Amino acid sequence: VGIPPHQGDLSKQQPYPIRDISALESQVVLTEPFLDLGILVSRAPGLSFPSTKLYGKVSQMNVGEEVIVIGYPYTPMGSYLETAQRCHISALGSRLSPGGNSRPELVLSVQVHPGSSGSPVVRHSDGTVCGVVRGSLAPPSPIKMGGIPLGSDSSVTYAIGVDRLQDLVDDAFEMKSLISDK
């Protein structure tokens, strides 16, 4: 897991491009393919992470509500510039699997770029995490930059709701303790 030089403080000026970045060794303790999520555990002596609250259920969110996507667009191209994109919830969705299961999703009025998958979606009003970006659907674009198509403003971003995220985190900690006991 890469640690940016500004250590997650968006108010600090960020140097880029970065040629060398500190990293934490991490262990994948749980994956959830249907949700496109993985839970990693890292030991970080002397490094603190901000406490984060998760926000209940997607059904408690409101269409039109302001949220912020915090992430690292273009990391596949070597960028570690952290950005915050303000947007709104465009719709509340339910992603269906081939097996008939469904999971709540947020549909956002923002275009995200490669590298943004896994970015937290933070509720502007109180700073709680309400989703995790899973991807963007953009119309084909004739303009490319570094081989990556630049979409139009009509792009739509999908975020997995945090409805099950706390359960996954709890399961991951339980699994980590089982692994540590062996």
Side-chain angles (χ1 to χ4, degrees), residues 35 54-63 65 67 89-95 103-108 121 123 129-132 158-165:
L35 297 177
L54 300 178
Y55 182 77
K57 299 179 179 288
V58 167
S59 61
Q60 295 170 327
M61 301 296 296
N62 298 306
V63 172
E65 190 166 349
V67 294
I89 297 172
S90 300
L92 304 176
S94 183
R95 181 178 176 205
R103 292 285 188 252
E105 278 194 333
L106 301 171
V107 180
L108 307 176
V121 178
R123 194 173 193 205
V129 175
C130 57
V132 177
Y158 300 93
I160 299 159
V162 298
D163 296 60
R164 272 237 329 120
L165 189 56

Side-chain angles (χ1 to χ4, degrees), residues 108-152:
L108 307 176
S109 64
V110 67
Q111 177 187 3
V112 295
H113 302 284
S116 295
S117 293
S119 295
V121 178
V122 179
R123 194 173 193 205
H124 184 262
S125 62
D126 61 8
T128 56
V129 175
C130 57
V132 177
V133 170
R134 88 171 162 86
S136 183
L137 175 63
S141 173
I143 302 170
K144 292 187 179 193
M145 179 177 180
I148 297 175
L150 298 177
S152 70

Side-chain angles (χ1 to χ4, degrees), residues 37-58:
L37 285 176
I39 306 290
L40 306 170
V41 173
S42 299
R43 295 203 186 277
L47 183 65
S48 64
F49 294 95
S51 62
T52 304
K53 299 181 291 182
L54 300 178
Y55 182 77
K57 299 179 179 288
V58 167

Side-chain angles (χ1 to χ4, degrees), residues 19 25 57 111 140 173 182:
R19 301 199 195 313
E25 188 173 320
K57 299 179 179 288
Q111 177 187 3
F173 277 107
K182 291 183 180 182

